[in-house]
Amino acid sequence: MTEHTDMNGKPINRFAMMALLMVGSFLIILMQTSLGTALPTLMTAFNVDSAQVQWLTTIFLMVNGIMVPVSAFLTTRIPTKYLYLSALTVYTIGTGIAWLTPTSAFWMLMVARALQAMAAGIVMPLMQVVALTLFGQKSRGKALGMVGLVIGMAPAIGPTLSGWILDQKHHVFGMTWGGDWRSIFGLVLPLAIIVLLLSTVFFRNVLETKKVALDIRSLVESTVGFGLVLFGSAMVSNYGWSNFTWVIAPIIVGVLVIAEFARHQLHMEKPFLDVSVFKNKQFALTSALVSLTFIAMIGVEMVLPIYMQEVRGLSAFHSGLTLLPGAFMIGLLSPVAGTFYDKYGAKRLATFGFATILTGTLPFYFLTATTPTLYITCLYTVRMMGVAVTMMPLTSSAMGALRIDQTAQGTAVNNTTRQIAASLGTAILASVMQSQINNNLPSASLKGQDPLAYGAKALNASLDGFHASFLLAAGFALLALILSLFMHKGKVEPKAEKEN
């Protein structure tokens, strides 16, 4: 195909295709964080405890992480249009089930979340590969800048949007809407249906497909390995790192299975997931930096709203508003960063970006119970500016280090690494926070003897936990800043396909 035709040589409207891809992907990825602020409401509605309701997040992370490696096979085997339509259909069905779930059937909501996560695991890598194909190698940075707008903004807007929906009823076109958890799903359901219908008309097959046989052993090993690692890291928030049954054992077994999976892939003529791309030092380095960027973004997005609600006493909606300017910064700068990458490469942007993230994170260590909300919002916006100018240029550089025929596999590997790193990084930040709080909490006896003193010490214990978590996040940013100095200068151009 040429830059403006599909696999059959027919002309395509690449801007309509890209718009539908971005909107559909935005709706799907939005669900990754949208239920965070709704969990207390769901606990009451379904009469479940905090451990049970947390599975709505855990199941999404697990299924999403399992599907990302599978996406490389699906992208190679299934025509682009039908793969995207299938992902949208699965997401629409999952969202419809969630919207209709009776409060006596919590398991149905779990199934709905799993279906949504399946779609997310397919769409995130697919969006990158299709964007690169539609806009060609010369506009690689611009294309992935648009992808970064979606991947960065959707998770950042999720908590604010769900908080706004839950906070109160809204009157739209004479209809009363919002104020309950169903409206979170009810908002995106009609939009998903519209995107699905339009995609049947405007979407085209733009990626080459091959009749590749599915290696069952690889599928089982990747599912079990990545699933166990993600499960163990998700259980940290409930049981802590010292729990062998739910945390240590799953992670150890998962890592061993992944090691065997990687060994098997290296000996396959046509691997299920081509881990040999890590032999490329530039790809390995930039993929590690992408993972650190995601930890910096997702980890603090998780910790900061907890501080705003528990220490500052803000509502879910107002704590979400604190993050909103940062989300807009992602949307504003991601396309700009892509254009700069096309001109200057990733190293300057990465060094500046990680320095900015570090600058915006360190002051969080000094937050108090009375720190002005505006100050926190400004710091978070500075952090997200660093994320915006870092994430997609690094991804562009990683893909540019590979041969053109490795793009789909490289994208899947890059996304898998990023997904696991984000999950583990978030678990580490949360566990450090909770550990510090538990270690510094006053004895229960003080509560009866002097309630005021107990309250003051408990507040300080919470602040100690948040400070430790933010300091660790700054440490991740510092590590990334140092590693970015070893990057290749200038724009990395992809090599030609390997000759048969």
Side-chain angles (χ1 to χ4, degrees), residues 187-336:
L187 172 67
V188 299
L189 182 57
L191 297 175
I193 293 172
I194 291 171
V195 173
L196 176 59
L197 294 175
L198 289 175
S199 296
T200 61
V201 177
F202 291 102
F203 228 76
R204 294 287 187 272
N205 298 321
V206 295
L207 303 177
E208 183 180 353
T209 56
K210 302 174 183 177
K211 289 186 177 181
V212 181
L214 176 62
D215 184 67
I216 301 300
R217 174 181 171 180
S218 297
L219 177 62
V220 171
E221 286 180 345
S222 70
T223 300
V224 173
F226 293 119
L228 284 175
V229 170
L230 291 164
F231 173 80
S233 60
M235 290 295 100
V236 169
S237 59
N238 292 331
Y239 299 101
W241 285 101
S242 61
N243 186 282
F244 181 81
T245 304
W246 296 101
V247 178
I248 298 176
I251 291 178
I252 291 176
V253 174
V255 169
L256 292 175
V257 174
I258 290 173
E260 170 55 27
F261 169 76
R263 189 199 66 79
H264 179 52
Q265 300 308 298
L266 291 172
H267 289 84
M268 292 179 66
E269 183 180 348
K270 294 181 179 180
F272 180 78
L273 186 68
D274 189 5
V275 295
S276 67
V277 293
F278 281 120
K279 293 179 181 179
N280 185 311
K281 293 181 180 179
Q282 183 67 18
F283 176 84
L285 174 60
T286 47
S287 292
L289 289 172
V290 169
S291 297
L292 287 170
T293 304
F294 234 62
I295 291 173
M297 182 177 75
I298 299 294
V300 174
E301 276 180 7
M302 180 271 300
V303 173
L304 193 57
I306 298 174
Y307 160 81
M308 298 298 290
Q309 292 178 50
E310 293 190 358
V311 175
R312 300 299 307 280
L314 297 180
S315 66
F317 172 54
H318 287 96
S319 66
L321 280 180
T322 305
L323 309 182
L324 197 57
F328 287 141
M329 186 60 68
I330 287 274
L332 180 67
L333 291 184
S334 285
V336 177

